[in-house]
């Protein structure tokens, strides 16, 4: 796991306490080519959405984001997504699921520029686990409508489909107020780290050199602006399947170690588990998250 404070404090010592927000790389239109007519009347292109910090949050030890499903309503209590290993109760053990537990955790809400504009508070941990995936979802005391009315900020929407290899993505860290731009390099059948195993993880290309404190950051598809994964770990020292050194295991049991490569957990599987009123219901059709 991208340990929330150890790695973060180490980076402060190296870089200094003042870290300016990095701006996500904007897409550049290629020069028009082809016939004169095509140059005069270029075909319509879908331009990537600008990725910024609006809707992300800073936790005391990690990053996160205010998220919604396509069916979430303005009057629903808002949700915050982060990692299971970022929960205030500590790392849940293998097979452990935290479900519908009270919480008063606070989150600093960021605007597009990465400035803190207000404090959001949880009413409960709706769901959290480090089994098969590494996620925590907090239910807030505020609704989406209240957050938008008070701060002018909308929640980030969870994509409903599996991520696609090669997709241009941005990891947006509310803790560091920093972004990391790269692509989806591929998917890992099983990602093992210490006592934990995660299924069908996202592997980044090497450009996303995430650090401690980026745990829980939303991974955003640059083309749609939707959340496709949540950042959670990376192999720091080249060790094999140890804490902070996850290894990849294929369907035949072959192990691959990629030092310096970082990973995320897909989020499309969360959507079927959330029903009316943003309530988690693990018995809903299509929901395959681990149960308590």
């Amino acid at each position: 796991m991208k340990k929330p404070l150890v790695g973060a404090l180490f980076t402060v010592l190296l870089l200094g306490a003042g870290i300016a927000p990095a701006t996500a790389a904007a897409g550049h239109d290629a020069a028009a080519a082809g016939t004169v007519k095509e140059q005069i009347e270029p075909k319509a292109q879908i331009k990537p959405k600008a990725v910024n910090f609006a809707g992300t949050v800073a936790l005391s030890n990690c990053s996160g984001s205010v998220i919604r499903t396509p069916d979430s309503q303005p009057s629903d209590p808002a949700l915050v997504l982060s990692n299971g290993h970022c929960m205030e109760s500590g790392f849940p053990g293998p097979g452990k699921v935290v479900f519908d537990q009270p919480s008063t955790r606070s989150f600093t809400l960021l605007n597009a520029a990465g400035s803190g504009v207000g404090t959001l508070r949880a009413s409960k941990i709706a769901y959290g686990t480090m089994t098969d995936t590494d996620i925590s979802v907090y239910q807030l005391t505020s609704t989406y409508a209240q957050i938008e009315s008070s701060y002018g900020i909308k929640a980030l929407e969870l994509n409903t489909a599996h991520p696609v290899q090669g997709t241009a993505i941005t990891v947006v860290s509310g803790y560091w107020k920093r972004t990391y731009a790269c692509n989806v390099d591929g998917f890992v059948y099983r990602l093992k780290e210490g006592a934990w195993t995660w299924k069908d993880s996202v592997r980044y290309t090497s450009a996303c050199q995430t650090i401690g404190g980026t745990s829980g950051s939303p991974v955003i598809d640059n083309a749609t602006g939707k959340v496709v994964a949540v950042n959670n770990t990376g192999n720091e020292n080249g060790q094999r399947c140890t804490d902070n050194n996850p290894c990849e295991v294929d369907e035949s049991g072959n192990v691959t170690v990629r030092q310096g490569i970082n990973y995320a957990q897909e989020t499309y599987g969360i959507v079927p588990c959330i029903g009316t009123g943003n309530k988690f219901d693990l018995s809903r059709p299509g929901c395959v998250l681990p149960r308590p």
Side-chain angles (χ1 to χ4, degrees):
M1 283 70 69
K2 288 294 179 187
K3 288 199 183 302
L5 293 178
V6 175
L9 290 175
F10 179 68
T11 303
V12 170
L13 292 174
L14 290 178
L15 302 181
I19 297 180
T23 303
H28 295 284
D29 293 332
T35 66
V36 173
K37 181 177 180 181
E38 288 174 330
Q39 292 177 8
I40 297 173
E41 299 177 6
K43 295 180 181 179
Q45 297 181 359
I46 299 176
K47 295 183 178 180
K49 296 181 180 294
V51 177
N52 56 46
F53 295 95
T56 62
V57 299
L59 286 68
S60 59
N61 58 348
C62 286
S63 301
S65 57
V66 181
I67 52 101
R68 64 183 298 275
T69 73
D71 294 330
S72 295
Q73 300 300 308
S75 59
D76 289 341
L79 303 174
V80 162
L81 171 68
S82 190
N83 285 149
H85 77 260
C86 292
M87 289 190 293
E88 64 268 38
S89 53
F91 292 12
K96 174 71 174 178
V97 173
V98 178
F99 186 76
D100 206 26
Q101 294 297 310
S103 174
T104 57
R105 193 161 196 185
S106 61
F107 312 88
T108 301
L109 178 67
L110 306 185
N111 63 14
S115 298
V117 294
T119 300
L120 305 177
R121 191 166 297 279
S123 62
K124 65 180 179 180
I125 301 174
Y127 186 87
T129 192
M130 287 177 65
T131 298
D132 295 351
T133 186
D134 183 9
I135 61 170
S136 60
V137 182
Y138 289 82
Q139 181 175 299
L140 302 183
T141 57
S142 305
T143 66
Y144 295 115
Q146 289 170 334
I147 293 172
E148 187 170 357
S149 175
S150 297
Y151 308 110
I153 294 173
K154 295 183 178 181
L156 301 176
E157 184 174 330
L158 294 179
N159 195 27
T160 60
H162 190 285
V164 177
Q165 187 174 14
T167 297
I169 54 174
T170 304
V171 182
V172 187
S173 172
Y175 184 90
W176 285 116
K177 302 177 178 61
R178 180 175 175 181
T179 62
Y180 302 80
C182 60
N183 294 78
V184 174
D185 186 53
F187 305 97
V188 182
Y189 176 69
R190 297 290 185 267
L191 189 66
K192 294 181 65 66
E193 180 173 342
W196 295 274
T197 300
W198 303 307
K199 298 179 178 179
D200 196 21
S201 303
V202 174
R203 179 177 62 241
Y204 305 143
T205 52
S206 59
C208 278
Q209 290 294 306
T210 51
I211 60 176
T214 64
S215 288
S217 299
V219 180
I220 297 176
D221 182 329
N222 293 353
T224 65
K226 295 181 180 181
V227 178
V228 295
V230 58
N231 180 66
N232 82 309
T233 195
N235 188 293
E236 297 180 358
N237 310 116
Q239 296 178 13
R240 176 185 169 113
C241 314
T242 63
D243 288 351
N244 304 312
N245 292 281
C247 62
E248 301 181 12
V249 183
D250 68 16
E251 294 181 69
S252 300
N254 299 309
V255 176
T256 301
V257 174
R258 302 179 192 266
Q259 184 176 3
I261 294 299
N262 296 289
Y263 303 89
Q265 301 307 308
E266 297 163 357
T267 52
Y268 77 99
I270 298 173
V271 177
C273 304
I274 299 176
T276 303
N278 263 1
K279 183 176 177 58
F280 267 77
D281 180 356
L282 303 181
S283 65
R284 297 186 81 234
C287 178
V288 295
L289 288 177
R291 301 184 183 188

